[in-house]
Amino acid sequence: MRLINKKNKSYTQIFHVFTEEEWIKTGKNFNKNISTFFTGKKNEVFIHTHEEGIAYFIGLGKSTLQNFEIQQVAVKFSQAHKKNLQAVPTLVVADFMNERQFEELVKGLLNGTYHYPFEKDHVFWNAKFELHFENLSQKKLDHISRKTEALSNGQTACQEWLNKPANFKKPDILSAYLKNFAKKHDLKYTVFNRRKCEELGLGAYLAVNQGSAYDAAFTIMEYRTTVKNAITFGLVGKCVLFDTGGVSLKNPDNMHYMKSDMGGATAVLGTLIYAAEMQLPVNIIAVLPITDNAVSEKAFLPSDVITAYNGKTIEVLNTDAEGRMVLADALSYLVKNYKTDFLIDLATLTGSSVRMFGDTCGALFSNSDELKDLLIKTGDKTNQRLWSLPLWDIWKDDIQSDVADLKNISMKPIGDCIVAAKFLEQFTEGHPKWAHLDIAGVAFGNVGYAKEKAATGFGVQLLADLIENYH
């Protein structure tokens, strides 16, 4: 999609974008038949054909709408009308739109092109498709074009890897992709196999990986800017490619959805893509502890006692609480080996967070008011919302063990997302600005492009906006 600051004498395709209030003011200038069917309500689309071409009237709803709502409308429009749209220069008529609002419109049009498996076969990726908008200078349009395409590339990668069937994303397949991505964008790429992990003492991660038929792939990716004294973000993404639950086997009814248990890692991957393509003036250290959680004669067992990277011992009560095991080593490894200003981990971690919030928001835990407030404000801005929950020490009592330093779950049937966060806190090594995001309910769910549950792309816009706009 090219964004152009010009207006031809005539267009065969036009997008008229209106809020309800704007339509009341200007709708009288159009054919009366249009007013009969179009009011500017949110997601309302009226298609008007005439001798010169075709016009799409797109409703945004009330003028008090948030910017992310413009993106939502554009996504739905892009998905619904892809078969009818033409690859021709197209005029956007939306005189009320400012730069940020137009950016959200373009984001939505591009993000709405996603389907699985993804191919750029949507008309918006056709070289002949141009979006003409007079309100902004060509310089600003060029910036929006670069930014929205980078974001779309990041979000698409996030959705694509989460949606892949389990046999299409084995550890070696994902590792090959990450290695090529790192080479393309000049990122430092490091991966530890099982033998190296044993040497380093990554015992909690290895406990999960030991049941796998595939070698360990504990992965570190480093994006570095040339800007001096830049902020450094440490990102950890849970990357369990498929979660059977291990010996504590999951109910098989919905086990096919467990290909989604790498939602934290895909959010981190999408953010790295955006940062690299935009050349953001920050540093990012990303740790992706790649493995599956399999059932085998070598799988770890309930009652095992494991020694984690930081030396703490963990009594395993449930092998289906594997996410916090791999995250424990990833967090402590990152903190002990890298200096970061902020430390954020993301994980499709607990059913508890799903039962609490459904698909409305992720659960947020942080030991820093600054980081917590930043994440909540950015979540509200991008509609990738988070709700803060406590990290009171009383929750630590529930994971005290008789035979180890910690248990990997509480035996109480309550508050598991809080218990999991409290468990992870023990592996942050006192990092002063840490946040844990449990995104189990929001990373994978009902979407407009698929009949079944599928990847939402949650986390990419949240992290990209946070990192890009932190000062």
Side-chain angles (χ1 to χ4, degrees):
M1 180 188 294
R2 296 178 60 206
L3 306 183
I4 308 292
N5 171 253
K6 69 177 182 180
K7 185 174 181 180
N8 297 333
K9 291 183 179 179
S10 62
Y11 287 88
T12 58
Q13 186 168 266
I14 301 176
F15 295 166
H16 292 282
V17 185
F18 288 98
T19 62
E20 292 180 46
E21 291 81 356
E22 287 294 323
W23 179 250
I24 289 172
K25 287 192 293 184
T26 62
K28 58 190 176 184
N29 298 325
F30 292 90
N31 188 309
K32 289 184 179 180
N33 289 333
I34 299 174
S35 300
T36 304
F37 299 101
F38 182 78
T39 63
K41 289 182 179 178
K42 188 176 181 181
N43 292 319
E44 188 178 30
V45 176
F46 178 75
I47 303 173
H48 177 60
T49 58
H50 49 92
E51 291 182 0
E52 290 79 20
I54 187 167
Y56 293 85
F57 290 78
I58 305 168
L60 298 179
K62 300 294 183 182
S63 59
T64 54
L65 83 168
Q66 300 293 311
N67 286 338
F68 67 77
E69 293 181 272
I70 297 175
Q71 184 181 159
Q72 290 176 327
V73 170
V75 165
K76 193 167 185 177
F77 173 79
S78 180
Q79 290 172 344
H81 297 279
K82 60 183 178 182
K83 293 182 180 179
N84 301 321
L85 295 166
Q86 303 173 51
V88 295
T90 300
L91 178 66
V92 176
V93 181
D95 294 337
F96 64 93
M97 273 193 175
N98 58 33
E99 182 177 354
R100 179 62 195 274
Q101 290 171 323
F102 184 70
E103 179 183 314
E104 291 296 312
L105 178 73
V106 179
K107 278 183 192 175
L109 294 178
L110 289 180
N111 288 336
T113 68
Y114 179 75
H115 59 86
Y116 180 82
F118 184 61
E119 297 176 2
K120 291 186 175 181
D121 52 1
H122 194 291
V123 67
F124 292 150
W125 293 105
N126 190 308
K128 295 180 180 179
F129 183 85
E130 297 176 353
L131 212 55
H132 291 200
F133 188 64
E134 285 190 297
N135 297 32
L136 299 173
S137 67
Q138 189 60 51
K139 183 178 180 181
K140 288 183 176 180
L141 290 176
D142 288 343
H143 177 70
I144 290 173
S145 180
R146 181 184 175 213
K147 186 175 181 180
T148 52
E149 188 162 340
L151 185 69
S152 179
N153 290 338
Q155 184 158 311
T156 294
C158 170
Q159 291 172 288
E160 190 77 351
W161 277 102
L162 207 57
N163 283 330
K164 285 180 185 292
N167 59 324
F168 286 13
K169 55 182 178 188
K170 300 299 185 183
D172 53 342
I173 299 173
L174 177 58
S175 292
Y177 170 85
L178 294 175
K179 186 176 182 179
N180 288 334
F181 164 70
K183 184 177 181 180
K184 177 181 178 182
H185 292 286
D186 198 27
L187 275 64
K188 184 178 179 181
Y189 170 83
T190 307
V191 62
F192 301 143
N193 62 14
R194 197 170 287 161
R195 183 175 178 179
K196 184 64 177 179
C197 288
E198 289 171 352
E199 290 177 10
L200 294 170
L202 293 164
Y205 166 73
L206 280 175
V208 180
N209 177 253
Q210 72 188 45
S212 176
Y214 297 90
D215 200 0
F218 190 94
T219 303
I220 303 102
M221 301 182 75
E222 303 174 44
Y223 166 80
R224 300 285 187 179
T225 180
T226 56
V227 176
K228 292 183 178 180
N229 301 317
I231 295 291
T232 299
F233 288 85
L235 301 179
V236 175
K238 177 185 174 185
C239 197
V240 176
L241 301 182
F242 192 85
D243 180 19
T244 66
V247 172
S248 305
L249 191 66
K250 289 181 179 291
N251 186 310
D253 291 347
N254 291 311
M255 198 190 291
H256 58 291
Y257 289 140
M258 287 303 100
K259 67 179 184 178
S260 71
D261 213 12
M262 58 184 293
T266 56
V268 171
L269 171 60
T271 304
L272 278 172
I273 290 172
Y274 181 76
E277 292 193 8
M278 290 298 294
Q279 297 182 319
L280 296 184
V282 298
N283 300 312
I284 300 174
I285 312 299
V287 178
L288 306 179
I290 301 170
T291 185
D292 54 8
N293 187 22
V295 185
S296 79
E297 74 279 8
K298 295 181 179 179
F300 71 138
L301 302 173
S303 84
D304 281 357
V305 172
I306 308 300
T307 302
Y309 178 75
N310 67 352
K312 291 184 178 178
T313 54
I314 305 166
E315 180 187 9
V316 177
L317 297 186
N318 190 319
T319 64
D320 194 25
E322 87 297 331
R324 65 200 73 180
M325 300 287 287
V326 300
L327 288 173
D329 274 356
L331 284 166
S332 57
Y333 181 87
L334 199 159
V335 175
K336 284 178 175 289
N337 293 280
Y338 298 91
K339 181 177 173 56
T340 59
D341 297 287
F342 295 98
L343 176 64
I344 303 172
D345 74 80
L346 300 90
T348 49
L349 204 62
T350 68
S352 170
S353 69
V354 181
R355 291 188 293 274
M356 189 177 299
F357 296 124
D359 62 0
T360 59
C361 67
L364 163 65
F365 303 86
S366 182
N367 62 357
S368 163
D369 288 339
E370 178 192 1
L371 182 54
K372 177 178 69 177
D373 291 344
L374 276 170
L375 283 163
I376 290 173
K377 288 177 182 177
T378 307
D380 289 343
K381 177 182 175 183
T382 59
N383 197 38
Q384 298 197 336
R385 289 192 163 111
L386 302 166
W387 190 263
S388 179
L389 292 172
L391 277 171
W392 299 325
D393 282 339
I394 191 171
W395 292 94
K396 188 180 176 183
D397 294 341
D398 291 337
I399 51 174
Q400 297 304 296
S401 168
D402 291 329
V403 297
D405 294 318
L406 302 164
K407 300 182 294 191
N408 76 331
I409 63 165
S410 162
M411 297 305 289
K412 295 179 181 178
I414 54 172
D416 185 47
C417 63
I418 302 176
V419 170
K422 200 65 187 174
F423 176 89
L424 293 178
E425 186 183 35
Q426 312 313 307
F427 300 89
T428 59
E429 314 306 323
H431 195 292
K433 294 182 180 179
W434 162 68
H436 161 60
L437 280 56
D438 189 337
I439 60 173
V442 287
F444 199 79
N446 297 321
V447 292
Y449 66 82
K451 295 177 182 178
E452 298 288 338
K453 290 182 179 180
T456 65
F458 188 97
V460 177
Q461 293 193 47
L462 173 76
L463 292 178
D465 194 279
L466 175 74
I467 290 171
E468 184 172 36
N469 295 301
Y470 180 79
H471 299 289

